[in-house]
Amino acid sequence: MPVHILLIDDDANIRASLGMVLRQEGYTVSEAGSGEEALNSFHLHPADVVLVDLMLPGVDGFEVTRQLRRSSDVPVIVVSARTDTHDIVAGLEAGADDYLTKPVMAKELSARIRALMRRAMSTSREGPVICVGDLEIRPDAGTVHRGGVELALTRTEFRLLCELASRPGSVMDRPQLLNRVWGYDYFGDTRLVDVHIGRLRAKVERDPSRPEVVVTVRGLGYKLQGL
Amino acid sequence: MPVHILLIDDDANIRASLGMVLRQEGYTVSEAGSGEEALNSFHLHPADVVLVDLMLPGVDGFEVTRQLRRSSDVPVIVVSARTDTHDIVAGLEAGADDYLTKPVMAKELSARIRALMRRAMSTSREGPVICVGDLEIRPDAGTVHRGGVELALTRTEFRLLCELASRPGSVMDRPQLLNRVWGYDYFGDTRLVDVHIGRLRAKVERDPSRPEVVVTVRGLGYKLQGL
DNA sequence: AGGTTCGGTAACAGTTGTGTAACGGCTCGG
DNA sequence: CCGAGCCGTTACACAACTGTTACCGAACCT
């Protein structure tokens, strides 16, 4: 799941250069040139991090921050040309988590984003949940639920399932699975994967004799039936 | 409950002036002049926020930050004379939440502390009482009640329980628990955690032979049954 | 259909993980 | 100095998990 950043600045050049830096870091980026645009955009498609300039036409950066805070805990970083302590304090008081002054160093910006996300994640109550079909996989809790009941998977089964779930719908062959689940660097033939797939099915499938979730692709490997 | 700040700097003048600023803001402050002193102090009396200088004799600020992170989620702000982007990035990567360059503006420092505490407290502070199943845990009071009666836990048992309760439902593995409860670095295998889990269960579980609260996740660790 | 390959699964034995009892060291208060 | 409680280590028994093998049926090919 890519991390999404909303970038708010009225200067298209700055948006372009910051955007490029962020995209290179692997983030997806959407841009807004005004406060109104930003708030609308955020409502439609909430971001994981917001970068906001203070000087915006219309609704300024302070106000954008306050509005965001009203409905969201999203991490907000102010990026502004204004270096005055008064502005910094006002930005943070408005609800921002950090304040950077232009010109920003790319490395510093991304380090600060990482630090902030780390902090924001660590306090989030619920870990991520991966849903495949009627399965709910919680890598964090190490549990799999189906219809509210917890399935008792072993560690290997769980890792196998997670590995398959990391790319639902696409086939993974045996060497690949051996590598990623067992860490083996192994070619020859072993039925290891098959056996564990079988054990996994016994717990995961409604009717293990007719698999609907963990599907065999003959001659290739296995895949998770996306949906 | 007053907010407590640990201030680490080898320059007594800076400690004095920053300390004064912080005390005026209503914080209680303890000071340390070296990394070793700071880590010892933190272990004895954990702070709510840590301010650390980078240039320290012996264990430097980077290392202090890393060590703290190993056993705690405490908010850490680096306060350093070094303005180089490389240092900023390294500080944040080491686990710091923010990085300020000297000379620091008092107003900015306190605004950043407030912003960070707001973020850190937003969901992590469980309030005065954590309830798990029919257990009532009061971290401040150091007590656990079940059905109105107080359970007599030892300090270790209590910390273990609190640690598990900090993320109910999420599995915590043994190294993690060793770090956070005992402050150990992980060295090989020890049954220490298991034994104390057993002792904790003897007091906490209705039927210790069939645990419902402190649940084993084989191959991974233990978790508190959220409910 | 017959031969061949591939996948599913039962059985088993070896390995690993976990619960717990027991023991000695330590601290603290009398 | 002595006992009580707590802590960390060790040892052992038992349960759960793992990887291998063997056998069988299904799918594929000619």
Side-chain angles (χ1 to χ4, degrees):
Chain A
M1 187 176 51
V3 175
H4 188 72
I5 296 185
L6 174 57
L7 177 57
I8 313 170
D9 201 305
D10 62 333
D11 182 335
N13 291 326
I14 291 181
R15 287 208 305 271
S17 66
L18 278 183
M20 191 164 66
V21 167
L22 296 171
R23 277 182 256 263
Q24 272 177 353
E25 295 280 334
Y27 302 113
T28 63
V29 181
S30 58
E31 304 178 6
S34 73
E36 292 85 347
E37 194 185 335
L39 291 169
N40 285 335
S41 162
F42 187 83
H43 265 120
L44 283 172
H45 180 36
D48 300 300
V49 176
V50 174
L51 301 187
V52 58
D53 185 27
L54 281 185
M55 285 179 286
L56 297 170
V59 179
D60 71 8
F62 296 117
E63 191 53 28
V64 169
T65 305
R66 266 189 291 272
Q67 295 281 347
L68 286 173
R69 269 289 161 275
R70 238 180 246 185
S71 61
S72 168
D73 283 329
V74 64
V76 174
I77 300 179
V78 172
V79 179
S80 168
R82 294 157 78 165
T83 60
D84 195 66
T85 298
H86 178 263
D87 289 312
I88 299 178
V89 171
L92 295 171
E93 290 299 328
D97 291 288
D98 204 344
Y99 189 112
L100 276 157
T101 53
K102 294 178 188 174
V104 298
M105 300 291 134
K107 300 260 185 194
E108 178 177 354
L109 175 61
S110 60
R112 282 184 183 269
I113 289 174
R114 276 198 300 278
L116 183 51
M117 296 225 326
R118 185 179 57 212
R119 168 64 61 186
M121 290 298 167
S122 76
T123 55
S124 76
R125 219 65 174 85
E126 300 287 330
V129 180
I130 305 171
C131 289
V132 179
D134 53 354
L135 291 176
E136 296 168 17
I137 307 169
R138 292 181 179 73
D140 214 28
T143 59
V144 180
H145 289 256
R146 187 183 54 196
V149 287
E150 179 170 344
L151 306 175
L153 300 192
T154 70
R155 188 178 37 164
T156 309
E157 288 155 9
F158 186 73
R159 287 211 287 225
L160 188 55
L161 180 60
C162 283
E163 202 48 58
L164 289 166
S166 71
R167 296 161 169 262
S170 61
V171 183
M172 312 201 65
D173 61 22
R174 276 160 245 263
Q176 221 170 344
L177 289 169
L178 272 175
N179 248 325
R180 307 185 76 102
V181 176
W182 282 269
Y184 285 10
D185 242 7
Y186 181 65
F187 282 94
D189 57 278
T190 174
R191 314 299 314 289
L192 187 52
V193 176
D194 306 53
V195 172
H196 280 279
I197 288 283
R199 302 212 247 246
L200 179 58
R201 278 175 176 155
K203 296 179 181 176
V204 161
E205 299 285 351
R206 292 187 184 290
D207 176 7
S209 67
R210 242 174 352 98
E212 294 174 342
V213 180
V214 182
V215 184
T216 303
V217 181
R218 194 183 168 86
L220 293 177
Y222 300 93
K223 69 172 180 178
L224 227 59
Q225 196 62 283
L227 190 72
Chain B
M1 187 178 54
V3 175
H4 188 73
I5 296 184
L6 174 58
L7 176 57
I8 313 171
D9 200 306
D10 62 334
D11 182 335
N13 292 325
I14 292 181
R15 287 208 305 273
S17 66
L18 278 184
M20 191 163 67
V21 167
L22 296 171
R23 276 182 257 263
Q24 273 176 355
E25 294 280 333
Y27 301 114
T28 62
V29 181
S30 58
E31 303 178 6
S34 75
E36 292 86 348
E37 194 186 333
L39 291 170
N40 285 335
S41 162
F42 186 82
H43 231 261
L44 284 171
H45 180 39
D48 300 300
V49 176
V50 173
L51 301 187
V52 59
D53 186 27
L54 281 187
M55 285 179 285
L56 296 171
V59 179
D60 71 8
F62 295 118
E63 191 53 30
V64 169
T65 305
R66 266 188 290 271
Q67 295 281 348
L68 285 173
R69 268 290 161 273
R70 237 180 246 196
S71 61
S72 168
D73 284 327
V74 63
V76 173
I77 301 180
V78 172
V79 179
S80 169
R82 295 158 77 167
T83 61
D84 194 67
T85 297
H86 178 263
D87 289 312
I88 299 179
V89 171
L92 295 172
E93 290 298 328
D97 291 289
D98 203 344
Y99 189 112
L100 277 157
T101 53
K102 295 177 185 175
V104 298
M105 301 291 134
K107 300 260 186 196
E108 177 177 354
L109 176 61
S110 61
R112 282 185 183 269
I113 290 174
R114 276 197 301 279
L116 182 50
M117 296 225 330
R118 184 179 57 213
R119 167 64 60 187
M121 300 296 173
S122 64
T123 40
S124 85
R125 261 288 178 251
E126 325 281 355
V129 56
I130 308 170
C131 291
V132 180
D134 53 354
L135 254 44
E136 296 168 18
I137 307 168
R138 292 182 178 74
D140 295 339
T143 59
V144 181
H145 290 256
R146 187 180 54 195
V149 285
E150 178 169 346
L151 303 175
L153 300 192
T154 69
R155 189 171 55 252
T156 308
E157 288 156 9
F158 185 72
R159 287 215 290 221
L160 187 54
L161 180 60
C162 282
E163 203 48 59
L164 289 166
S166 71
R167 292 173 165 273
S170 290
V171 181
M172 313 204 64
D173 59 22
R174 277 160 244 264
Q176 223 170 343
L177 290 169
L178 272 175
N179 274 334
R180 307 184 80 102
V181 177
W182 282 270
Y184 283 11
D185 280 348
Y186 177 62
F187 55 97
D189 58 285
T190 171
R191 314 299 317 288
L192 186 53
V193 176
D194 305 53
V195 172
H196 280 277
I197 288 281
R199 289 172 182 161
L200 179 58
R201 279 177 176 154
K203 296 179 182 177
V204 160
E205 298 284 352
R206 293 188 181 289
D207 176 6
S209 67
R210 201 129 26 78
E212 293 174 342
V213 180
V214 182
V215 184
T216 302
V217 182
R218 193 185 168 87
L220 293 177
Y222 300 94
K223 68 174 179 180
L224 229 60
Q225 196 61 284
L227 180 76

